[in-house]
Amino acid sequence: MISRPSDCVLVTVTGKDQPGITSRLTGLLAEAGAELLDVEQVVVHGRLTLCLLVRLPEARGVLKELLFAAKELGVELDFQAVDAPTSEPEGAGPRRYVVTAVGRVLGARELHALATRLAEHGANIERITRLTETHLGSVEIHITLPRGKDPDMLKRSLLALSMQESSFDVALQREGLFRRSKRMVVMDMDSTLIRIEVIDELARAHGVGEQVAKITERAMHGEMDYDESLRQRVALLAGLDMAVLRRIAADLPLTEGAETLIRVLKRLGYRTAVISGGFSVAAEALKAKLGIDYAYSNVLEEKDGKLTGRTLGPIVNARRKAELLETLAQAEGILLDQVIAVGDGANDLLMLERAGLGIAFRAKPKLREAADTSISAGGLDAILHLLGLTGRELAEAR
């Protein structure tokens, strides 16, 4: 039987929130034999908005009863006849995404810029939820994108917006099974988990800072590959006392939010790993300090307490990073879609592409454009909001 449009009514209730409002109204609907098709309720600063989509029986006296009940409860009630909802074939409707904005403070200007950018790409906002507890610092926006609209274009547009504004980060993720079921986070070390490049610190301590910097610059300009640049830079460290390396490793400056991120992830049962093109002494020190589950990096050869200027074993380059990520996921029985990879440099790109969610952290524009999303305005703990965690949930996890 096809329902007439008038069979369906959208009931909207607004007013001061108090216990018992939803109970009273749904009770009247149940007694009248109305069919509840949809419901949404939100409370903002003590003010309630409750929407009930119902299919009414032929006797419409229940609407009068609802109005009387609302008056007794001290709330406003409005109703409007709407078309009956129609079911669409699987995969035929608009695609659903989640946009997460994270900043120190999000004001009207920031949200206006974000909403305008979404509208320009035909995205319809269905729900906005505040994630931070004490201030408006992060919101999660659920949107639908019509078929035929390119989500990659929207992603690039949102990236450009965050680079332009510089006060907040914006991430676009497909809403689906794996968005909130991530199980592993893999991170680069230098300039990601820590604020420095360990090799630069070692070079300065050994008096070869300028030579190492020149080799790094040549590699960045594509004049030599990563493996060769690492060999040449490590060769310049020959003769450096291991005590210097151990002293630097013992006092590594953590990136803002790193301790919070690892602590919460561990509390929630995530597996964590460092996969770095840096050096094992530093990576192992971080592993011990933060309780990280795995650490993979380059091993510096030493003899008689000094560096020989060579590495041992395979070099942890871009390809090796991606391979290690896959190996770890397989060993833990975790799907790649459930892995988050975080990095800042070009040698992190393959690792970010292999993961279900690749995050460019305070990275150069090229990596930011290639990654799934980026974080530049906030600390590493902003990743927790990308998982959909609210401030209240983070407080519990801590």
Side-chain angles (χ1 to χ4, degrees):
M1 176 179 176
I2 299 176
S3 300
R4 300 186 309 275
S6 58
D7 285 338
C8 290
V9 174
L10 179 63
V11 179
T12 304
V13 182
T14 57
K16 184 179 179 181
D17 186 37
Q18 59 178 301
I21 295 175
T22 305
S23 172
R24 176 82 177 276
L25 299 180
T26 54
L28 291 173
L29 291 170
E31 289 174 9
E35 181 184 358
L36 182 62
L37 303 175
D38 198 1
V39 61
E40 190 81 31
Q41 178 172 319
V42 64
V43 176
V44 179
H45 204 62
R47 303 293 295 180
L48 166 75
T49 298
L50 168 63
C51 294
L52 302 159
L53 180 62
V54 296
R55 180 176 283 125
L56 297 177
E58 290 186 8
R60 300 301 181 92
V62 65
L63 292 177
K64 187 180 294 185
E65 293 183 37
L66 289 172
L67 288 168
F68 282 133
K71 187 173 182 180
E72 291 179 356
L73 292 166
V75 294
E76 299 290 327
L77 185 145
D78 184 32
F79 55 86
Q80 179 182 6
V82 296
D83 291 338
T86 58
S87 59
E88 296 177 318
E90 186 71 24
R95 292 164 297 176
R96 299 183 179 279
Y97 293 86
V98 174
V99 176
T100 309
V102 184
R104 303 296 180 189
V105 176
L106 298 176
R109 185 180 68 84
E110 289 80 8
L111 290 181
H112 167 69
L114 179 54
T116 300
R117 194 62 59 99
L118 291 173
E120 289 172 352
H121 287 266
N124 183 59
I125 297 175
E126 292 196 332
R127 185 169 76 253
I128 301 177
T129 304
R130 187 180 77 179
L131 295 179
T132 44
E133 189 70 15
T134 58
H135 67 290
L136 191 59
S138 179
V139 294
E140 186 175 88
I141 305 175
H142 290 250
I143 66 169
T144 56
L145 197 63
R147 298 261 164 199
K149 292 289 185 178
D150 186 357
D152 287 334
M153 288 185 63
L154 175 58
K155 187 196 85 167
R156 289 193 293 271
S157 181
L158 294 175
L159 172 62
L161 174 65
S162 65
M163 293 175 70
Q164 170 189 323
E165 295 290 335
S166 74
S167 61
F168 66 95
D169 296 305
V170 186
L172 176 70
Q173 299 179 70
R174 183 72 184 268
E175 177 66 303
L177 175 64
F178 295 113
R179 188 178 78 87
R180 291 191 62 144
S181 63
K182 298 292 189 291
R183 303 309 311 147
M184 177 182 286
V185 177
V186 174
M187 292 161 285
D188 178 41
M189 179 174 66
D190 298 67
S191 297
T192 299
L193 193 55
I194 59 176
R195 299 196 307 269
I196 62 170
E197 295 282 335
V198 172
I199 194 168
D200 291 342
E201 300 299 315
L202 295 175
R204 278 192 283 271
H206 200 43
V208 292
E210 290 187 12
Q211 296 97 304
V212 166
K214 287 178 180 178
I215 296 171
T216 301
E217 186 175 358
R218 287 184 62 197
M220 289 178 62
H221 285 88
E223 296 175 17
M224 68 173 69
D225 65 17
Y226 178 81
D227 291 17
E228 180 59 27
S229 71
L230 182 69
R231 291 189 190 97
Q232 290 190 19
R233 286 178 291 173
V234 169
L236 291 170
L237 300 179
L240 177 66
D241 198 304
M242 280 296 296
V244 176
L245 177 55
R246 294 191 180 96
R247 184 173 67 250
I248 291 173
D251 193 28
L252 295 170
L254 294 172
T255 299
E256 175 192 0
E259 287 184 285
T260 298
L261 172 66
I262 300 299
R263 183 167 62 248
V264 172
L265 290 175
K266 286 174 60 65
R267 187 73 182 271
L268 296 177
Y270 282 70
R271 304 297 280 173
T272 55
V274 170
I275 300 180
S276 169
F279 304 126
S280 60
V281 173
E284 290 296 332
L286 285 175
K287 180 174 179 285
K289 179 178 182 178
L290 298 176
I292 294 170
D293 297 301
Y294 300 98
Y296 295 94
S297 54
N298 295 302
V299 179
L300 294 172
E301 184 183 58
E302 63 171 296
K303 186 176 181 181
D304 299 329
K306 297 183 183 298
L307 297 180
T308 66
R310 294 185 295 271
T311 61
L312 298 173
I315 289 176
V316 181
N317 53 23
R319 187 171 300 280
R320 179 69 175 155
K321 283 188 171 191
E323 291 171 351
L324 286 168
L325 181 147
E326 284 193 340
T327 300
L328 281 178
Q330 290 174 1
E332 291 288 343
I334 295 172
L335 298 174
L336 290 178
D337 282 332
Q338 295 177 289
V339 178
I340 297 174
V342 189
D344 73 296
N347 66 331
D348 296 312
L349 178 56
L350 292 180
M351 180 173 74
L352 267 58
E353 289 178 340
R354 204 70 56 89
L357 177 63
I359 301 174
F361 182 75
R362 298 181 182 175
K364 290 184 168 55
K366 188 174 181 180
L367 184 63
R368 294 178 68 179
E369 291 169 5
D372 293 315
T373 188
S374 68
I375 295 173
S376 295
L380 281 172
D381 53 346
I383 292 171
L384 297 169
H385 288 312
L386 300 186
L387 299 175
L389 297 174
T390 67
R392 185 175 304 169
E393 290 168 336
L394 293 180
E396 291 177 6
R398 293 189 185 105

